[in-house]
Amino acid sequence: MADKTEQLRKQIEDQGNVVRQLKASKADKTQVDEGVALLLGLKDKLRIASGDSGSSKKDSKSGLTLKTPKGTKDYTAKEMSVRSEIFRTIVGVFERHGAVTIDTPVFELKDILTGKYGEDSKLIYDLKDQGGEECSLRYDLTVPFARHVAMNGIQSIKRYQIAKVYRRDQPAMTKGRMREFYQCDYDIAGSYDPMIPDAECVRVAVEILSKLDVGAFIIKLNHRKILDAIFEVSGVPEDKVRTISSAVDKLDKLPWADVRKEMTEEKGLDGVVADRIGTYVKLSGGEELLERLQALPELMASTKAQQGVADMALFFTYARIYNILDRVSFDMSLARGLDYYTGIIYEAVLVEESQQPNNPQPTVAQTSTKKPKSDELDESQVRVGSIAAGGRYDELVGMFLASRRGAKGGKKTDVPCVGISFGVERIYSIVMNRMREREIKANRTAVYVISVKDGLLEERMRIATELWDNGIAAEFAYKVKPRLQSQYNACDADVIPWAVLVGKDEVEQGVVLIKNMAEKVSGQERGVTVKRSEMVAELKKRLF
Amino acid sequence: MADKTEQLRKQIEDQGNVVRQLKASKADKTQVDEGVALLLGLKDKLRIASGDSGSSKKDSKSGLTLKTPKGTKDYTAKEMSVRSEIFRTIVGVFERHGAVTIDTPVFELKDILTGKYGEDSKLIYDLKDQGGEECSLRYDLTVPFARHVAMNGIQSIKRYQIAKVYRRDQPAMTKGRMREFYQCDYDIAGSYDPMIPDAECVRVAVEILSKLDVGAFIIKLNHRKILDAIFEVSGVPEDKVRTISSAVDKLDKLPWADVRKEMTEEKGLDGVVADRIGTYVKLSGGEELLERLQALPELMASTKAQQGVADMALFFTYARIYNILDRVSFDMSLARGLDYYTGIIYEAVLVEESQQPNNPQPTVAQTSTKKPKSDELDESQVRVGSIAAGGRYDELVGMFLASRRGAKGGKKTDVPCVGISFGVERIYSIVMNRMREREIKANRTAVYVISVKDGLLEERMRIATELWDNGIAAEFAYKVKPRLQSQYNACDADVIPWAVLVGKDEVEQGVVLIKNMAEKVSGQERGVTVKRSEMVAELKKRLF
C-alpha cells in the first residue's frame, strides 16, 4: 500500500511538471487539457489507494467490488416509475409541439466532440483504444444533433431526444449531479423568421415545468448580442470576454462583490471596467427593461445591442400571445457557459412561491438566497441549480457542414438552431423527494389471482391466461400451494387494486370472487361473486 | 503512410509473438483474451491505414470525418417511430405480466463483467483509463441485472429492461448485427416452484412475437441438463463439453456432416462419440418427444437426463394451459452459447408460413433452408437469426453474492433466475422492411394552422396556443408571411390529418375553416366553417 501511494505521489509530481511546462510553452489547448485530465486521474487514484473513498473499498477475499461506477447509480423500480412519468409528461409536450425524435449512438468519433465544449472538454469520457476508431461518450445531445443534421443534409427539423450523456465531473449525487445522466432536449433547426421558434422553446419549457410537480419557477432570459455589447462598451479586452462572461454567470450563486473580485483580482480586469459591467448586469425585469436599455445611449450605440434588443422586443410580443409573460425574467446577469450560443439564451430556475406568479422579477439577491420552502425540501434541493436551459446556436451545424464540403469549397449555408435542454435528474430529485411519503406503484398489474385453499395452480394459470388474452395485467403466486396470507401480502406490497379469488367450491360452481384490494373495509371482505364466464367483463367494467 | 503501415505490421508481428507465448505458457485466460484483442485492434488499424475501409475516409482538408462510429447508426424520425411502436408493444406485454423496470448504468466496473462471457469477452468495450476506476460498456443486460439483484439483496423481482448493449463484433448492419444495439429483457428472479416462471417467459415471447408483425415463428426449446446428459452418455470428455456444445449450436446454420467434421477434425472428438451425439441431437418434435426420450434407457440412466425430462414434462403441462403448444418445438440441437444457463433454454426463430401453425416441428434441414417468402423480404432478412432467446440461470446472482459475503463467510443462498431477451434490432429490420412501402408518420401533430393570405402570424400563434392549452398537438409555419402552398406541403410531408385555416375575412367574422387534409377530395376543398369559439370542441370531436 505504502509503495503504491508513494509511486502515485511521484507520478503526480511528474505530471504536474508536465502540465506546467505545457502551459508555459503555450501548448495546444487540447494537449494541456489532456495533461490536466491525466493529473486529476492520478489524484483520484491516490485518493482511492490511500483509502480515502468510502464507496470504493474492495472485498479483500474475492477482489470484486459490488457497486456501480462512481457518479452512476441504478434506478429501482419505484424510482423508474417516477422517472418514466416525468419522461411521459415531457415527451407529451414535445410531441404537442410537433417534434419528432431521433436516436444517435452513445459514443461519437472523438473528433466530432473536439473543440465544442471549451474548458469542459477535459470532462469527456474516452473509450479505450482497442483498435479502429477513437471514440468518446457523448457529452451532451446538442453536438450529436448538429452532427446528424449536417451529415444528412437536413434543412429543417424539430426534434426531441431523451438520452443519457456523460461527464467526468465531481459527482454530487444528492443534488442530482451525476457522471451519467439523462438530458431531454427539444431543438428547432431551420431558417425561419426571427424569434418565432425561440419563443416556442420557452413556451415548451413553461408547459413542461407547469405540468411537473417542481414548484414555482421562472425562466431567466438574456441575449448573447446584448451581453457582447455590454462587454464591448464597458471596455473588456477581446481576449477576456469569455472568462469575464463566465464570471458574470456566477451572479446567481455569488453576490456582486465576489464576482467583481474575481474579475479584477483573479482575471486582471480594470476595476473601472468591472464597475461599468456591474451597472449593466444588475439590471433585470420584464418587458419594460427593453425601454430602460433603449434609454442607454452608450449601450445602444452598439449594433449588437440594437440587434439583441430588437430580437428581445419581438420575443416579448410573441411571449404575450403565448401567455408566458408572467413566467419570464429579462436578466442581464444570465450568461451561460457554452461557447456556441449566438442569440437568445434562457435558463429555468426554481424560485420561492412568494415570487410567483404576480411578482415575476426576482432580483439577483432574491434568487441567490433561495431557501427551502418547507420541511419537505431538504438541503440537497436548495441549490438544485437550473432545471432547464438553452438558447440559439446558429453556427454549430455550419461548423460540421464546412468540414463536409471541405475541398469541394461549396458556399456556406448554415442551418440555424434554437433549443432547450431539461435537466431531468434534477427534476427527478425534486419530484422524488416530494413523493417520498406517498405510495408509488412500480408495476401495472391490475389483478392478482388468488387460490383460497388447495393451491389450484392450473386453475389460477387458466384464469391468468384468460386475463392476459383480454389485455388485463395479471399475476399469481409462482407456487403450487401458496399460503393465502402470502398472496394477500403480494397484493399489498405491489399495490395491486383487484383480486380474483377461487377455491374448490368456486371452481365447482363455475364462479369467482372479485375483490377490491384497495379498499381496506373489513365488511367488504367477501367481495362480489360473479360467474366465471362474466369475470372478464366484470373486471373490465372496474378497470377501464 | 508507408511508414505507418510498416510500423503497424511490425507491431502486429510482435503482438502475434506475445499471444503465441501466452498461449504456449498456458497463461491466464483473461491475459490471452486481452492479447488477442490487442492484436485484432492492430489489424483493424492496419486495414484503415492502408485505405481498406470505405466508410472511414477522412476529409483531407478539415481532417473531420462526418460519420457515426463503425457498427453504430443514427435512427431517423421515421425509423424511431417504427422502433418506438415495437418498444410499446413489448413493454405492454411485459407489464401485462407484472414486470417492473429498473435502470443500470451503461458502463460497469470492469471486474463485474470479467469471466461472464467466455470466448466473447474479447468483444467487450473498455473505457479509457482516465484515472479512477476501470470500466467497460455493458455487454448484455443479464449480468448487470444479476449484479443489481446481488448488490441490493433482492430476494425476488420480475423486471424488464430495454437498453443498449455494446459488442466490438464485426458489424453486419443489414442483418441487424450492430456494435451498439438494444436488448429488451424480461427476467424473473426468485425461489419458486419448478417451471412456473419458465413457462411464463415462453408465453411472454409468444404474446410479443404474435403482436409484432414479424411473420410465422417458432420457439425451440431444450434443457441444459438433458444436453449435459447427452454429452455424458455419448462419452464426451469433461474438458470438451463446452466446445462440443457450441458446435451443436451451429446445427441451425450447418448440416450435420459439417458439424460432425468440426467436432472430429477441428476439435479432436472421437468419430464414434460424434455419431452417438448425432443420434440424439437430430431429435426434435413436440410434447411426444418426452416419451421418445424416456424410452432411451442409456440416456435416462443419467440423473441429469431424469431431472431435465421431468422439468420439460412440467413445462409442457403449463404450456398447454397457456395455449402455446403450437408455437414450441422441443429441439435437441438447441445449445445456446452462454455459459451461465443451468436449466431450460429457448430461442425464437422465424419459419416459413407453411410450417405454421399446424406443423410445428421444423426439422434442422427445414429451418436451415428458410427462404424469403415474398419479394418484399430481401436477402438481408433471410438469415436474421434468432429474434429472442433465453433460459434459466440459477447461479449467476450467487456468483456475485459469494463475493459480497466474501470474508464474512455467510452461507450461500442463490437467487435463481429465468429470463428472455428480445433482439429488437432484428425485429426492427424485419418490421421496417415490411413497412417500406407505407407512409410512416413520425410526429404526432394533429392540426396545422394555416393562414390563407396576409400572413396573420399572431392570429396563427393565438390559435396554436389555444390548441396546445387544450392538449391538441399543433404546428404552424415559422414565417411572418408563409405561402399557402408551402403550408399545404408541410401537412403532406408530415402526414398531418387536420388543418385550421384563417384569412382576414374569417378573423373579422369570428370563424375558422376546419379541413381534413387526409382526404384528397377536391370537392371538400373548402372544409367546414365553424365559430372560432367552437373550434376546439369541433376538433376534439374529430380527434379523440
Side-chain angles (χ1 to χ4, degrees), chain B residues 421-458:
Chain B
S421 177
F422 293 80
V424 79
E425 309 294 342
R426 288 170 175 183
I427 292 169
Y428 164 80
S429 295
I430 296 164
V431 174
M432 195 68 195
N433 251 300
R434 297 200 175 197
M435 293 190 76
R436 202 183 283 162
E437 306 305 321
R438 289 188 235 157
E439 291 214 66
I440 301 164
K441 183 168 163 71
N443 60 71
R444 303 202 164 242
T445 308
V447 177
Y448 201 80
V449 185
I450 292 177
S451 63
V452 182
K453 259 186 264 182
D454 315 307
L456 296 171
L457 172 64
E458 297 193 4

Side-chain angles (χ1 to χ4, degrees), chain B residues 96-168:
Chain B
R96 196 193 296 162
H97 286 266
V100 297
T101 189
I102 66 160
D103 189 27
T104 61
V106 82
F107 47 82
E108 294 275 341
L109 295 183
K110 192 175 162 66
D111 288 348
I112 298 287
L113 306 189
T114 303
K116 307 298 186 303
Y117 302 108
E119 289 179 6
D120 290 341
S121 293
K122 62 179 180 297
L123 302 181
I124 293 174
Y125 274 98
D126 293 329
L127 292 191
K128 189 169 164 182
D129 183 0
Q130 291 169 293
E133 303 157 332
E134 283 189 54
C135 298
S136 304
L137 297 185
R138 62 184 162 212
Y139 181 86
D140 65 8
L141 301 177
T142 310
V143 170
F145 170 62
R147 190 264 307 147
H148 174 86
V149 169
M151 190 174 124
N152 296 288
I154 294 169
Q155 286 304 306
S156 70
I157 186 172
K158 208 184 311 181
R159 86 88 178 77
Y160 73 89
Q161 190 172 3
I162 296 193
K164 287 174 171 177
V165 301
Y166 299 86
R167 299 181 185 183
R168 292 179 358 93

Side-chain angles (χ1 to χ4, degrees), chain A residues 37 41 44-45 48 56 58-59 61-70 72-77 80 83 95-98 100-109 111-112 124-133 135 137 147-148 150-151 158 164 166 168 180 182 188 191-193 196-197 200 203 207 317-318 321-323 400 403-404 406-407 442-445 457-458 461-462 465 468-469 471-476 478-481, chain B residues 37 41 44-45 48 56 58-59 61-70 72-77 80 83 95-98 100-109 111-112 124-133 135 137 147-148 150-151 158 164 166 168 180 182 188 191-193 196-197 200 203 207 317-318 321-323 400 403-404 406-407 442-445 457-458 461-462 465 468-469 471-476 478-480:
Chain A
D44 257 5
K45 277 191 173 166
I48 292 165
S56 184
K58 282 204 172 189
D59 173 22
K61 195 162 184 181
S62 71
L64 188 67
T65 313
L66 262 196
K67 64 184 279 292
T68 61
K70 184 177 177 182
T72 70
K73 68 174 291 248
D74 290 342
Y75 283 79
T76 65
M80 284 299 282
R83 204 172 74 177
E95 290 185 339
R96 196 193 296 163
H97 286 265
V100 296
T101 189
I102 66 161
D103 188 28
T104 61
V106 82
F107 48 81
E108 295 276 339
L109 295 182
D111 289 348
I112 298 286
I124 293 174
Y125 275 99
D126 294 328
L127 293 191
K128 189 169 165 182
D129 184 0
Q130 292 168 295
E133 303 157 331
C135 298
L137 297 185
R147 190 264 307 146
H148 174 86
M151 191 174 125
K158 209 184 311 183
K164 286 173 172 179
Y166 299 87
R168 292 179 357 93
E180 171 185 65
Y182 267 99
I188 302 174
S191 292
Y192 298 117
D193 285 336
I196 307 176
E200 189 164 340
R203 161 87 193 188
E207 282 188 36
T317 304
Y318 298 154
I321 298 172
Y322 284 162
N323 291 327
F400 289 118
S403 76
R404 188 185 184 217
N443 60 71
R444 302 198 165 247
T445 307
L457 173 64
E458 297 194 5
M461 283 181 159
R462 266 187 289 274
T465 303
W468 296 332
D469 285 341
I472 297 171
E475 290 185 87
F476 58 90
Y478 293 149
K479 295 275 181 188
V480 175
K481 293 201 176 194
Chain B
D44 256 7
K45 275 191 173 165
I48 292 165
S56 185
K58 281 205 171 188
D59 174 19
K61 196 160 180 182
S62 72
L64 188 67
T65 314
L66 261 195
K67 64 185 278 292
T68 61
K70 184 176 178 183
T72 70
K73 67 173 292 244
D74 290 342
Y75 283 79
T76 66
M80 283 300 283
R83 203 172 73 177
E95 290 185 338
R96 196 193 296 162
H97 286 266
V100 297
T101 189
I102 66 160
D103 189 27
T104 61
V106 82
F107 47 82
E108 294 275 341
L109 295 183
D111 288 348
I112 298 287
I124 293 174
Y125 274 98
D126 293 329
L127 292 191
K128 189 169 164 182
D129 183 0
Q130 291 169 293
E133 303 157 332
C135 298
L137 297 185
R147 190 264 307 147
H148 174 86
M151 190 174 124
K158 208 184 311 181
K164 287 174 171 177
Y166 299 86
R168 292 179 358 93
E180 171 184 63
Y182 268 99
I188 303 174
S191 291
Y192 299 116
D193 284 338
I196 307 176
E200 188 164 340
R203 160 87 193 189
E207 283 189 35
T317 304
Y318 299 154
I321 298 173
Y322 285 163
N323 291 326
F400 289 118
S403 76
R404 188 184 182 219
N443 60 71
R444 303 202 164 242
T445 308
L457 172 64
E458 297 193 4
M461 283 181 159
R462 266 187 290 273
T465 303
W468 294 332
D469 285 342
I472 297 170
E475 290 186 87
F476 59 91
Y478 292 150
K479 295 277 181 187
V480 176

Side-chain angles (χ1 to χ4, degrees), chain B residues 122-330:
Chain B
K122 62 179 180 297
L123 302 181
I124 293 174
Y125 274 98
D126 293 329
L127 292 191
K128 189 169 164 182
D129 183 0
Q130 291 169 293
E133 303 157 332
E134 283 189 54
C135 298
S136 304
L137 297 185
R138 62 184 162 212
Y139 181 86
D140 65 8
L141 301 177
T142 310
V143 170
F145 170 62
R147 190 264 307 147
H148 174 86
V149 169
M151 190 174 124
N152 296 288
I154 294 169
Q155 286 304 306
S156 70
I157 186 172
K158 208 184 311 181
R159 86 88 178 77
Y160 73 89
Q161 190 172 3
I162 296 193
K164 287 174 171 177
V165 301
Y166 299 86
R167 299 181 185 183
R168 292 179 358 93
D169 211 341
Q170 204 51 37
M173 314 283 277
T174 52
K175 294 182 194 174
R177 192 167 76 231
M178 317 265 293
R179 289 184 160 194
E180 171 184 63
F181 58 97
Y182 268 99
Q183 285 194 333
C184 302
D185 282 23
Y186 173 90
D187 293 82
I188 303 174
S191 291
Y192 299 116
D193 284 338
M195 305 311 285
I196 307 176
D198 313 55
E200 188 164 340
C201 284
V202 179
R203 160 87 193 189
V204 162
V206 172
E207 283 189 35
I208 286 175
L209 297 176
S210 304
K211 272 179 169 277
L212 294 171
D213 192 16
V214 291
F217 65 91
I218 202 140
I219 298 174
K220 297 186 193 177
L221 310 165
N222 201 358
H223 198 292
R224 266 286 162 91
K225 286 186 178 164
I226 300 178
L227 262 181
D228 285 348
I230 288 173
F231 296 136
E232 196 180 294
V233 303
S234 300
V236 178
E238 190 67 44
D239 65 338
K240 283 203 165 71
V241 166
R242 198 53 42 236
T243 185
I244 294 303
S245 179
S246 61
V248 167
D249 204 39
K250 291 178 187 160
L251 275 172
D252 62 336
K253 298 190 201 86
L254 301 174
W256 167 250
D258 290 3
V259 170
R260 187 187 185 281
K261 204 168 157 187
E262 179 178 327
M263 288 179 175
T264 53
E265 294 182 14
E266 277 177 47
K267 302 186 166 169
L269 193 71
D270 189 322
V272 181
V273 174
D275 289 336
R276 258 185 243 137
I277 295 173
T279 60
Y280 290 114
V281 298
K282 282 182 212 162
L283 297 173
S284 75
E287 197 171 2
E288 82 292 344
L289 183 56
L290 282 171
E291 286 170 32
R292 283 155 70 197
L293 292 177
Q294 279 162 330
L296 302 170
E298 196 183 47
L299 182 67
M300 295 309 291
S302 151
T303 319
K304 283 184 181 172
Q306 289 163 22
Q307 290 170 346
V309 168
D311 270 358
M312 291 307 291
L314 213 43
F315 176 86
F316 277 104
T317 304
Y318 299 154
R320 180 180 304 280
I321 298 173
Y322 285 163
N323 291 326
I324 54 173
L325 273 190
D326 61 347
R327 294 296 199 169
V328 298
S329 162
F330 192 6

Side-chain angles (χ1 to χ4, degrees), chain A residues 309-373:
Chain A
V309 168
D311 270 0
M312 292 307 291
L314 213 44
F315 175 86
F316 276 104
T317 304
Y318 298 154
R320 180 179 305 279
I321 298 172
Y322 284 162
N323 291 327
I324 54 173
L325 274 189
D326 60 347
R327 294 294 198 170
V328 298
S329 162
F330 192 6
D331 189 330
M332 292 294 107
S333 73
L334 178 70
R336 306 277 300 124
L338 292 166
D339 285 0
Y340 50 61
Y341 290 116
T342 56
I344 191 174
I345 48 179
Y346 31 77
E347 189 169 292
V349 293
L350 296 183
V351 291
E352 290 177 74
E353 297 288 352
S354 64
Q355 294 179 251
Q356 272 293 312
N358 296 318
N359 180 14
Q361 291 103 31
T363 64
V364 170
Q366 273 178 307
T367 50
S368 64
T369 57
K370 186 158 64 69
K371 289 210 175 59
K373 71 179 186 15

